[in-house]
């Protein structure tokens, strides 16, 4: 709601549905929280693929972090409707978004990857082609797994250090500078 308010104040019109947002679009970018949301936004009754103004050749870039199989399923539907698709999950956080330094892990054909870079280069500094559709998701899931394991290791080390009498602030300072 806040972002849409800013958008409207800038004189832009917010679409009421994904289908309306996709009308006559050359590119559609989605970034949604779950598999079910992505399926609904693309394939639902008011979804992107139901747009009366669907433009043949429209490139759909999905930056959600979801199951690679869902990306492949959506790719099949978009392709069947005459569009193109890449999965392009992102890392870098809000700071990276504001600075334009995000990393996009892109899965799709060589041609779709090259086409996606015309948009993704405006938002990110690292645009990496991971392979076929779904491999961007695989890269993101593996990256998240490494991060989670690292966080777990830090948590366990901090817990051990404190239990063995170390001041947690001192220990954290050492870990942050070594």
């Amino acid at each position: 709601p806040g972002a849409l308010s800013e958008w409207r104040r800038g004189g832009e019109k917010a679409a009421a549905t994904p289908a309306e947002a996709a009308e006559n679009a050359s590119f559609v970018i989605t970034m949604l929280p779950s598999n079910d949301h992505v399926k609904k936004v693309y394939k639902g009754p008011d979804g992107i693929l139901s747009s009366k103004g669907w433009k043949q050749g429209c490139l759909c870039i999905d930056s959600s972090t979801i199951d690679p199989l869902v990306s492949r399923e959506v790719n099949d539907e978009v392709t069947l409707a005459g569009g193109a698709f890449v999965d392009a999950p992102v890392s870098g956080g809000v700071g990276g978004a504001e600075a334009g330094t995000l990393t996009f892990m892109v899965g799709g054909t060589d041609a779709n990857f090259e086409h996606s870079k015309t948009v993704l280069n405006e938002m990110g500094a690292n645009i990496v082609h991971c392979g076929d559709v779904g491999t961007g998701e695989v890269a993101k899931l593996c990256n998240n797994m490494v991060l989670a394991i690292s966080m777990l290791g830090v948590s366990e080390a901090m817990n051990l250090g404190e239990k063995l009498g170390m001041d947690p602030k001192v220990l954290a300072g050492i870990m942050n500078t070594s």
Side-chain angles (χ1 to χ4, degrees), residues 38-133:
V38 171
K39 289 179 185 181
K40 182 177 180 185
V41 164
Y42 278 91
K43 303 186 321 179
D46 292 321
I48 291 165
L49 297 175
S50 72
S51 177
K52 291 180 178 76
W54 173 254
K55 189 174 179 179
Q56 293 292 304
C58 175
L59 177 60
C60 297
I61 301 171
D62 182 42
S63 291
S64 309
T65 300
I66 58 170
D67 183 334
L69 297 177
V70 172
S71 288
R72 292 175 182 136
E73 176 185 327
V74 172
N75 169 69
D76 292 346
E77 296 288 332
V78 169
T79 302
L80 191 62
F85 181 88
V86 295
D87 60 299
V90 62
S91 68
V94 174
E98 290 170 346
T101 59
L102 295 169
T103 294
F104 287 91
M105 295 151 270
V106 184
T109 66
D110 291 341
N112 290 348
F113 169 68
E114 289 301 322
H115 191 47
S116 74
K117 289 194 317 187
T118 61
V119 173
L120 298 179
N121 279 328
E122 297 299 318
M123 299 182 284
N126 303 300
I127 317 302
V128 181
H129 190 207
C130 299
D132 291 335
V133 170

Side-chain angles (χ1 to χ4, degrees), residues 131-152:
D132 291 335
V133 170
T135 59
E137 298 297 349
V138 171
K140 176 67 185 275
L141 294 172
C142 291
N143 192 51
N144 283 359
M145 178 185 249
V146 168
L147 178 60
I149 291 168
S150 296
M151 290 171 62
L152 181 61

Side-chain angles (χ1 to χ4, degrees), residues 154 157-158 161 165-178:
V154 169
M158 289 297 297
M166 184 82 195
D167 180 333
K169 289 182 182 176
V170 173
L171 183 56
I174 292 167
M175 288 181 178
N176 288 329
T177 58
S178 63

